[in-house]
Amino acid sequence: MFTIRISGWLTGMTLLWLLVSTARSGAQQYNLKDLGALSGNSVSKGFALNNEGQAAGDSSSPTAAIGTLFSGGKVTNIGAPGSSVSVATAINDSGEVAGWNSFNSATFTPQAFLFSSGSTDNITSSSLFPSGAEPAGMNNSGDVVGTGYLTNANFHAFLYSGGKMTDLGPANAYQASAVAINNSGQIIGGYYLNSGAAGEFLFTGGKMTTLPVPAGASAVSAFAINDSGEIAGSIFFASGAPAHAAKFANGVWTDLGAISGASSTRATAINISGQIVGTAFFPQTQYHPPKPGKHVPFLVASSGLVNLNSLISPGTGFTLTDAVAINNSGQILCDANNASGIEHTVLLTPK
């Protein structure tokens, strides 16, 4: 769960191979729509996508980020008045949005919110989590999961359901976070115990179990779960080789492979059909001054991991950087840079 984004450059030969491979395989092509940003803000970032094509994220300027709903061509501010930072991190098919607001720029004490029917309510339990709560996932029942802070450094996974927030623990965890919940109420996340042990968990039927680590691996990460209980994530190898995107289903992890040259490859989202998207991170190549490495978003295909940039028209003016979510219609939410290098969230729709 606790991973560092490492990135770098995709070689010209690798990109050429992906383009040729895609053309030969007749892979799905996509139309791209720029979802824009709030007026007065130049940057936008996506965090979640529902099956209606609505997205949640933020719009930002150099001084602040504002929780944003992207829906039907409209961009709506859903941040709480007076907040210094606001981020919308989850959305369900009813258009309800969960996220967090911060009202103190000096300390990070996020206040979880639920946006529904045009109004925003603070859902943080200050008695359980005096240092705030940070939502990460949400299902169609309005159940919200995320991270609840007992202190700035000590946190547990939480579930908000039926108007009540519950500490999922684990009780002996120094740090734990829930990252996603499906419509069956299954929850995934990760933990770091007081003993020093760490792992990824599946919470189902009121019971938390640790996801297995396959032979030859040192750890796994879980990032998304679909309504069939299939999980998208990564496998970290004991040999120190770059992490690979992976899928967990029926008790078994499947290695989905990598893109050549990547320092790590992460499966970030999975839909009901088992379609998976993710991002490959490449090494930093410039240190003085520092220049972040390149991110390459991908779609998992039978032929391997396909660069999503090869599946859109070259005339869009955008370079896709990160695959954030995929819905049951196959629409993909991505972060991208426009021709001026400014980040916007965009929606890919199958042609």
Side-chain angles (χ1 to χ4, degrees):
M1 178 186 66
F2 305 104
T3 56
I4 299 173
R5 286 193 169 189
I6 309 173
S7 47
W9 295 100
L10 178 66
T11 66
M13 288 300 294
T14 302
L15 180 56
L16 177 62
W17 180 86
L18 285 169
L19 290 168
V20 172
S21 174
T22 299
R24 288 176 177 172
S25 65
Q28 176 70 61
Q29 300 291 303
Y30 294 86
N31 291 316
L32 181 150
K33 181 180 180 180
D34 178 7
L35 298 186
L38 288 170
S39 177
N41 292 262
S42 59
V43 174
S44 64
K45 187 173 181 62
F47 286 92
L49 176 70
N50 70 11
N51 289 314
E52 305 303 317
Q54 299 171 302
D58 66 52
S59 299
S60 62
S61 65
T63 58
I66 302 170
T68 305
L69 170 64
F70 305 90
S71 177
K74 295 181 179 180
V75 185
T76 304
N77 180 344
I78 59 173
S83 59
S84 57
V85 176
S86 177
V87 180
T89 54
I91 186 169
N92 67 15
D93 290 348
S94 298
E96 294 179 308
V97 180
W100 57 270
N101 297 299
S102 177
F103 297 91
N104 188 335
S105 58
T107 61
F108 182 68
T109 309
Q111 298 298 302
F113 73 77
L114 178 61
F115 175 84
S116 181
S117 302
S119 63
T120 302
D121 296 320
N122 188 328
I123 61 172
T124 304
S125 170
S126 57
S127 60
L128 286 177
F129 304 116
S131 292
E134 188 178 2
M138 184 181 190
N139 66 15
N140 287 339
S141 297
D143 300 330
V144 180
V145 297
T147 304
Y149 293 88
L150 291 84
T151 68
N152 289 337
N154 180 207
F155 47 86
H156 283 179
F158 79 75
L159 167 66
Y160 175 85
S161 180
K164 180 181 178 181
M165 186 169 280
T166 302
D167 183 345
L168 298 180
N172 58 340
Y174 177 63
Q175 296 178 337
S177 296
V179 299
I181 182 172
N182 67 13
N183 287 321
S184 298
Q186 294 176 302
I187 302 168
I188 57 170
Y191 62 79
Y192 180 78
L193 302 182
N194 292 319
S195 65
E200 300 291 276
F201 69 76
L202 171 64
F203 184 90
T204 183
K207 183 180 179 181
M208 185 178 288
T209 58
T210 299
L211 295 177
V213 176
S218 59
V220 296
S221 285
F223 294 104
I225 185 168
N226 68 12
D227 287 341
S228 297
E230 299 173 315
I231 295 171
S234 296
I235 294 175
F236 298 84
F237 297 102
S239 65
H244 283 192
K247 173 183 175 181
F248 181 77
N250 300 316
V252 176
W253 283 97
T254 300
D255 185 347
L256 300 176
I259 293 177
S260 178
S263 296
S264 64
T265 310
R266 177 187 303 173
T268 55
I270 182 170
N271 69 10
I272 192 62
S273 301
Q275 291 179 298
I276 294 173
V277 294
T279 303
F281 307 97
F282 286 75
Q284 183 173 328
T285 57
Q286 180 176 312
Y287 295 90
H288 302 289
K291 184 177 181 180
K294 191 172 184 178
H295 294 192
V296 174
F298 61 80
L299 172 72
V300 178
S302 58
S303 58
L305 309 186
V306 179
N307 185 347
L308 282 169
N309 284 289
S310 68
L311 305 182
I312 62 173
S313 168
T316 64
F318 281 91
T319 300
L320 307 176
T321 59
D322 296 82
V324 176
I326 183 168
N327 67 16
N328 291 341
S329 299
Q331 292 179 305
I332 303 170
L333 185 68
C334 290
D335 288 328
N337 292 327
N338 64 18
S340 299
I342 297 173
E343 184 179 33
H344 268 204
T345 188
V346 301
L347 183 64
L348 308 186
T349 300
K351 290 184 176 180

